[in-house]
Amino acid sequence: MSLLAENIVRRLVYGKPVKSILVVGTTNTNASALMEFLLMAEGEGKGMIISSAGISASDGFPMDSKALSFLKAAGIDASGFRSRKLTDVMAANFELILCTSMTVKGFLLFLYPEATIYTLSEYALMGTDVYGMEDLSVEEYRRVAEELHEMARRIIARATKNTTF
């Protein structure tokens, strides 16, 4: 494939660089919160704004203890995190909204049809939907969190147009 053709394919698949990402889950105490910090760690120094929220979250709750433990083991301090309920203003202020599942995506597409919305797995081009992490054993949780960590690496690579996974 010629360089021109390869660049056209990359533009079609990867789009323009993204400067702001909002991760949306249900309660914003587990997968979406975990992914917020994984994305911030991967995107450090790239001038990106990254946050998270939940469609049925209550403001002010701490992150799940398994998520905090995973992040701490990865050298990431998320002890000050508090959950946030998704608002219209929040959704309007981010270029890209990433959802933990197709269920959340469907809800958001109904509310914000003009927004750019993907599931985490769609945008990362790997993995599966993420939900119900609080019910996983510690070992299963670690496995899913490691997959999310790889997804975060891929998401930042795609968002910054470094398409080398």
Side-chain angles (χ1 to χ4, degrees):
M1 184 183 302
S2 74
L3 183 58
L4 177 60
E6 187 174 313
N7 284 336
I8 290 169
V9 169
R10 283 186 182 182
R11 174 76 57 181
L12 290 171
V13 174
Y14 299 102
K16 65 182 177 98
V18 174
K19 289 292 186 186
S20 60
I21 300 172
L22 178 65
V23 183
V24 180
T26 306
T27 63
N28 193 225
T29 57
N30 219 312
S32 58
L34 175 64
M35 186 54 93
E36 173 186 348
F37 281 85
L38 292 172
L39 288 170
M40 284 192 302
E42 291 297 323
E44 190 173 350
K46 295 184 180 359
M48 300 180 80
I49 298 168
I50 299 167
S51 190
S52 67
I55 58 174
S56 58
S58 295
D59 289 329
F61 282 84
M63 190 181 298
D64 181 87
S65 62
K66 290 181 216 170
L68 283 170
S69 294
F70 180 82
L71 290 170
K72 185 176 181 181
I76 301 168
D77 179 18
S79 59
F81 175 84
R82 293 296 176 262
S83 62
R84 296 173 288 271
K85 182 167 182 55
L86 178 67
T87 65
D88 294 344
V89 171
M90 230 185 252
N93 284 325
F94 287 86
E95 291 177 84
L96 175 64
I97 299 175
L98 298 177
C99 305
T100 56
S101 69
M102 286 299 286
T103 304
V104 174
K105 179 182 177 180
F107 183 74
L108 293 180
L109 284 170
F110 176 76
L111 290 177
Y112 312 112
E114 301 300 317
T116 303
I117 303 171
Y118 291 88
T119 64
L120 294 167
S121 58
E122 286 173 329
Y123 200 80
L125 304 174
M126 68 162 283
T128 59
D129 283 1
V130 183
Y131 48 88
M133 287 181 71
E134 61 278 350
D135 297 327
L136 298 176
S137 69
V138 172
E139 183 57 35
E140 257 317 283
Y141 192 98
R142 187 183 59 73
R143 187 193 62 72
V144 172
E146 286 173 357
E147 183 176 279
L148 286 174
H149 204 170
E150 176 59 21
M151 290 169 109
R153 190 177 73 74
R154 288 171 167 251
I155 288 166
I156 294 299
R158 181 174 178 188
T160 58
K161 294 196 49 115
N162 172 4
T163 57
T164 306
F165 297 139

